């Protein structure tokens, strides 16, 4: 029996030696060929060959199980000391923490989140970073799970195999590890869903209007885009659009009076309730500016613009209680003059025993005083006398004032968010001319709309706290809408009459258009800046740090490390124990659980780790794997 070297390699092949020719009678093979003995000689040769093969096999099987053959190559394994931390694991922890910092920055930093808010880039970036963190977590969990199995688990070969391959349905895997691996696989899916539930936030950035639009905005008495050319330019449709949000907010559709605001409250695109007796219709940005911004915006984005503006303001006059004689004198004088004019003293029956009255200066003339009220209805064909209207008349002073407003512009709307007025009438040539000298004929056009808005306060809501606010809002909207449709710079004409010295006023001098000192804030939809979201993003890095801490503190003596796998098992396996696994070479499946024993051993003056495969019921199966010694090199 001997080893035969193959052609051009260092490997050897085992061959049985040729039979020896001793003088011993039992081993001697005759050289002569006698008749009838040829078959007998062949059989004898085969028996001798088989006997030698069995002898050699027995000799090989009796070689120590972990020692390589004296003719094999030098060992290629790299002995090492078990480390508390591995470079790859520390690198994974560092990468995951960096990704966490970037993810939190992408949400918490206003400028970064605003820039990522375009086309859902923020969601894309967070999904990418979560994916990297999941890869980092996946690089440390197998070692941790293997250590858990070796230290506290049954230490079965099937459990090690399932953990290494990360297969939930691996053959023979215990229910506990099926559950754990399922949770690990479901974790990134759950996190990818969880962080998307924090939608509804926003990020803002103050921008330079000139950088985006090439010029700044003009403000003035404009109708918003889409409402410039409605109807016959009476102003009624503009009045209805301006007051509809206020009417809806102040109505008692459920029979319950809504609470009156305690501070300035904005409604619609330019109406502002200053208090329970005053209201303002603010000038708005130029329609071309609004349209340019709307074309710039993406879905869900908004542009908040803030500027000092002028406004048409209606304030309740208390002279009826403070100076009743003067109030009566002024009223009767104006009423008698208005009765002889068209559209200055107007009555409309509400067919419920009440009528609505409106009194102002005959056109052309001073429109700063507006009397409105409810009187007992004398009939459709009859107009109450001035003295009959006097006890019910409520006076509102009309003027142009300096105010401040903030609008939100989206792709399809413009809305006044909030504002306030200083109570100061702007000085300068012509600033009040649109009210002081104008031909408006308000009663001719607005009575049906006023009845629609104010009618309920004469009957079902006659004690409502919303009566004066509704009247103030109606007066401000009425004058603003009428002046806007008649004299807006968009019309390129001006019909108000002015004294000769003011007849040459331009739109700018009349205060119909002017440059604003606007500041724009660009708002984009992003994820909410929530601590719960930050926790969702931090789950995987926290798990990595927890796992590394546990591995360093609790599993230093466990005879298993990061390199555990096919190579380490083959290197340290006890060859005599492998017969138990016979038949699973292709299927990889065993009929029952098999325990993999891990224990440190001493061989040839070196420390090593031996793996032995035994049945759980075997007497060789210990309850727990043995421990390693610290700072010892294991082969």
């Amino acid at each position: 029996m001997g080893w035969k070297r193959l052609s051009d390699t260092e490997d050897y092949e085992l061959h049985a030696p040729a039979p020896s020719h001793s003088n011993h009678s039992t081993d001697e093979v005759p050289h002569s060929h006698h008749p009838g003995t040829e078959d007998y000689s062949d059989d004898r040769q085969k028996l001798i060959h088989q006997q030698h093969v069995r002898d050699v096999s027995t000799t090989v099987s009796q070689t120590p199980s972990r020692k390589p053959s004296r003719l094999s190559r030098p060992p290629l394994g790299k002995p090492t000391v078990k480390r508390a931390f591995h470079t790859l694991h520390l690198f994974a922890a560092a990468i995951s923490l960096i990704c966490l910092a970037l993810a939190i920055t992408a949400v918490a930093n206003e400028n970064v989140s605003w820039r990522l808010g375009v086309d859902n880039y923020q969601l894309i970036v967070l999904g990418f970073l979560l994916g990297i963190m999941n890869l980092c977590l996946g690089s440390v969990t197998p070692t941790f799970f293997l250590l858990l199995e070796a230290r506290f688990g049954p230490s079965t070969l099937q459990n090690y195999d399932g953990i290494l391959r990360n297969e939930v349905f691996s053959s023979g895997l215990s229910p506990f590890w099926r559950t754990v691996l399922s949770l690990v696989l479901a974790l990134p899916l759950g996190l990818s869903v969880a962080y998307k539930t924090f939608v509804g936030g926003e990020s803002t950035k103050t921008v330079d209007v000139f950088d985006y639009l090439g010029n700044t905005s003009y403000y003035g008495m404009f109708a918003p885009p889409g409402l410039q050319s409605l109807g016959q330019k009476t102003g009624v449709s503009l009045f209805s659009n301006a007051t509809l949000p206020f009417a809806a907010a102040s109505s008692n559709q459920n029979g319950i009076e809504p609470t009156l605001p305690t501070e300035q409250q904005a409604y619609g695109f330019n109406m502002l309730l200053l208090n329970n007796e005053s209201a303002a219709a603010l000038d708005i940005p130029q329609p071309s500016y609004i349209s340019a911004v709307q074309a710039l915006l993406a879905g869900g984005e908004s542009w908040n613009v803030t500027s000092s503006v002028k406004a048409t303001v209606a304030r309740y006059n208390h002279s009826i209680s403070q100076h009743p004689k003067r109030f009566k004198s002024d009223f009767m004088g104006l009423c008698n003059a208005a009765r002889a004019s068209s559209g200055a003293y107007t009555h409309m029956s509400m067919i419920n025993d009440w009528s609505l009255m409106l009194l102002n200066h005959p056109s052309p003339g001073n429109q700063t005083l507006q009397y409105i009220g409810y009187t007992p209805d004398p009939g459709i064909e009859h107009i109450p006398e001035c003295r009959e209207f006097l006890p019910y008349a409520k006076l509102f002073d009309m003027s142009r004032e300096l105010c401040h407003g903030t609008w939100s512009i989206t792709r399809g709307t413009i809305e006044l968010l909030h504002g306030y007025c200083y109570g100061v009438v702007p000085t300068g040539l012509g600033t009040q001319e649109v009210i002081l000298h104008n031909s408006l004929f308000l009663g001719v056009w607005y009575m049906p709309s006023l009845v629609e808005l104010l009618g309920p306060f004469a009957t079902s809501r006659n004690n409502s706290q919303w009566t004066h606010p509704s009247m103030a809002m109606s007066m401000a909207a009425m004058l603003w809408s009428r002046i806007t449709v008649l004299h807006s710079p968009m019309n390129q004409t001006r019909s108000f009459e002015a004294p000769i010295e003011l007849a040459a006023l331009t739109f700018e001098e009349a205060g119909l258009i002017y440059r604003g000192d606007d500041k724009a804030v660009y708002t984009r939809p992003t994820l909410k800046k929530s601590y719960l979201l930050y926790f969702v993003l931090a789950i995987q890095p926290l798990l990595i740090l927890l796992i590394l801490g546990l591995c360093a503190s609790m599993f230093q003596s466990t005879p298993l490390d990061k390199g555990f796998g096919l190579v380490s098992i083959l290197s340290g396996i006890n060859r005599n124990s492998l017969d138990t696994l016979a038949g699973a070479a292709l299927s990889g499946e065993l009929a029952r659980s098999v325990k993999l024993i891990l224990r440190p051993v001493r061989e040839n003056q070196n420390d090593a780790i031996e793996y032995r495969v035994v049945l759980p019921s075997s007497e060789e199966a210990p309850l727990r794997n043995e421990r390693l010694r610290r700072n010892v090199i294991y082969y």
Side-chain angles (χ1 to χ4, degrees):
M1 185 73 175
W3 294 89
K4 179 182 178 181
R5 182 174 179 177
L6 299 181
S7 58
D8 294 319
T9 68
E10 297 285 339
D11 298 312
Y12 295 84
E13 183 179 21
L14 184 64
H15 288 272
S20 62
H21 300 280
S22 65
N23 295 326
H24 198 281
S25 61
T26 58
D27 294 333
E28 184 176 351
V29 180
H31 293 278
S32 60
H33 299 274
H34 299 284
T37 64
E38 184 175 355
D39 295 337
Y40 171 80
S41 299
D42 293 339
D43 293 339
R44 178 82 172 180
Q45 185 73 13
K46 291 179 181 178
L47 289 173
I48 293 173
H49 175 74
Q50 292 173 1
Q51 180 63 37
H52 278 283
V53 171
R54 283 194 297 269
D55 293 341
V56 172
S57 299
T58 303
T59 302
V60 172
S61 65
Q62 291 174 352
T63 302
S65 61
R66 288 178 42 80
K67 294 181 179 180
S69 171
R70 61 182 180 88
L71 297 176
S72 62
R73 291 181 176 181
L76 300 178
K78 297 180 179 180
T80 186
V81 175
K82 184 168 182 180
R83 303 174 184 173
F85 298 102
H86 292 277
T87 303
L88 179 61
H89 290 171
L90 295 177
F91 182 73
I95 292 296
S96 66
L97 291 176
I98 292 173
C99 290
L100 173 61
L102 293 175
I104 293 178
T105 301
V107 176
N109 186 277
E110 196 73 12
N111 186 51
V112 175
S113 62
W114 181 85
R115 292 184 180 278
L116 293 176
V118 184
D119 297 329
N120 293 322
Y121 287 150
Q122 189 183 42
L123 294 177
I124 295 172
V125 168
L126 290 186
F128 174 74
L129 294 175
L130 282 173
I132 295 178
M133 287 187 275
N134 181 59
L135 293 176
C136 295
L137 179 63
S139 69
V140 301
T141 51
T143 302
F144 178 63
F145 293 159
L146 292 170
L147 289 170
L148 284 175
E149 175 67 14
R151 178 75 178 272
F152 302 109
S155 191
T156 65
L157 187 61
Q158 288 92 331
N159 283 348
Y160 289 123
D161 181 59
I163 294 171
L164 286 171
R165 292 192 293 161
N166 195 30
E167 288 190 4
V168 176
F169 300 103
S170 178
S171 176
L173 189 66
S174 68
F176 172 79
W177 286 116
R178 290 191 195 277
T179 303
V180 170
L181 294 182
S182 297
L183 292 176
V184 171
L185 291 176
L187 178 63
L189 299 178
L191 294 179
S192 67
V193 173
Y195 85 92
K196 293 185 180 73
T197 62
F198 290 89
V199 295
E202 61 181 27
S203 296
T204 60
K205 180 183 179 183
T206 301
V207 298
D208 189 338
V209 176
F210 187 84
D211 291 342
Y212 282 84
L213 303 180
N215 53 37
T216 56
S217 174
Y218 283 91
Y219 290 76
M221 301 188 77
F222 301 111
L227 298 179
Q228 296 98 329
S229 303
L230 292 181
Q232 296 297 319
K233 293 186 178 181
T234 63
V236 173
S237 61
L238 194 55
F239 171 88
S240 300
N241 277 278
T243 57
L244 182 59
F246 170 81
S250 62
S251 66
N252 62 342
Q253 295 180 357
N254 299 323
I256 302 175
E257 285 286 322
T259 303
L260 193 67
T262 57
E263 298 179 350
Q264 294 93 339
Q265 179 64 49
Y267 300 93
F269 56 84
N270 76 327
M271 300 306 299
L272 181 65
L273 184 63
L274 301 176
N275 52 51
N276 61 353
E277 294 179 340
S278 305
L282 273 62
D283 294 351
I284 66 172
Q286 191 173 3
S288 59
Y289 172 87
I290 298 174
S291 298
V293 172
Q294 290 176 332
L296 172 71
L297 299 175
E301 295 182 347
S302 64
W303 182 291
N304 291 3
V305 58
T306 301
S307 180
S308 297
V309 295
K310 298 181 178 67
T312 304
V313 180
R315 297 185 181 274
Y316 180 67
N317 188 312
H318 289 270
S319 61
I320 190 173
S321 58
Q322 297 173 350
H323 308 285
K325 290 184 178 180
R326 190 175 69 184
F327 176 85
K328 179 180 180 181
S329 175
D330 293 342
F331 174 84
M332 293 302 295
L334 180 62
C335 185
N336 290 327
R339 285 177 63 86
S341 175
S342 173
Y345 184 65
T346 315
H347 151 270
M348 174 165 279
S349 173
M350 294 188 291
I351 318 299
N352 58 5
D353 298 330
W354 290 92
S355 62
L356 182 67
M357 301 294 299
L358 178 65
L359 169 64
N360 46 55
H361 193 283
S363 293
N366 186 349
Q367 304 296 320
T368 57
L369 302 179
Q370 298 291 327
Y371 295 87
I372 190 170
Y374 309 101
T375 63
D377 189 6
I380 298 177
E381 301 296 333
H382 302 278
I383 298 178
E385 298 293 332
C386 290
R387 64 178 183 275
E388 295 175 341
F389 179 32
L390 176 61
Y392 303 97
K394 299 182 184 300
L395 174 61
F396 286 87
D397 293 327
M398 309 302 299
S399 63
R400 294 278 287 167
E401 296 185 11
L402 296 177
C403 299
H404 196 268
T406 299
W407 286 264
S408 174
I409 304 173
T410 65
R411 285 179 63 89
T413 64
I414 175 173
E415 179 182 6
L416 180 64
L417 297 180
H418 49 80
Y420 56 89
C421 292
Y422 304 100
V424 177
V425 177
T427 59
L429 186 66
T431 54
Q432 299 295 319
E433 288 303 313
V434 290
I435 297 178
L436 286 173
H437 301 86
N438 215 328
S439 297
L440 300 180
F441 299 97
L442 299 171
V444 174
W445 306 109
Y446 284 88
M447 291 306 291
S449 298
L450 292 175
V451 168
E452 182 77 19
L453 183 61
L454 302 177
F457 297 103
T459 54
S460 60
R461 301 181 67 185
N462 56 355
N463 293 320
S464 174
Q465 59 183 345
W466 286 90
T467 302
H468 279 181
S470 298
M471 286 183 173
M473 191 71 72
S474 299
M475 295 298 99
M478 180 176 65
L479 257 71
W480 171 82
S481 60
R482 183 62 176 161
I483 294 172
T484 297
V485 298
L486 292 178
H487 312 302
S488 171
M490 300 298 294
N491 300 334
Q492 298 299 318
T493 59
R494 201 165 69 250
S495 63
F496 63 86
E497 296 183 5
I500 297 176
E501 62 269 23
L502 301 178
L505 287 178
T506 64
F507 288 114
E508 290 80 3
E509 292 171 336
L512 293 172
I513 187 172
Y514 46 90
R515 189 180 294 276
D517 56 349
D518 50 0
K519 296 178 178 61
V521 176
Y522 200 159
T523 303
R524 285 173 172 164
T526 57
L527 296 178
K528 295 178 181 177
K529 297 171 177 58
S530 167
Y531 287 106
L532 186 57
L533 173 58
Y534 303 151
F535 174 74
V536 169
L537 298 174
I539 286 178
Q540 295 181 114
L542 290 177
L543 287 176
I544 293 175
L545 295 179
L546 177 63
I547 288 173
L548 295 184
L550 291 176
C551 290
S553 60
M554 294 181 59
F555 299 101
Q556 270 296 90
S557 60
T558 304
L560 187 148
D561 205 1
K562 186 182 77 68
F564 180 81
L566 183 60
V567 172
S568 63
I569 293 175
L570 291 178
S571 174
I573 194 67
N574 186 305
R575 293 161 176 78
N576 292 332
S577 67
L578 293 178
D579 290 343
T580 306
L581 307 180
L586 181 61
S587 67
E589 298 184 5
L590 299 174
R592 55 184 297 189
S593 294
V594 174
K595 196 173 184 67
L596 182 64
I597 306 302
L598 294 75
R599 68 187 184 96
V601 296
R602 186 78 175 173
E603 290 184 354
N604 300 328
Q605 305 301 317
N606 293 324
D607 291 281
I609 297 178
E610 181 186 64
Y611 301 101
R612 181 183 294 271
V613 178
V614 298
L615 295 175
S617 59
S618 173
E619 296 180 356
E620 302 179 31
L623 294 177
R624 288 287 178 262
N625 293 312
E626 299 181 22
R627 303 294 183 88
L628 298 179
R629 291 180 296 162
R630 292 179 180 270
N631 301 321
V632 174
I633 298 177
Y634 285 91
Y635 286 75

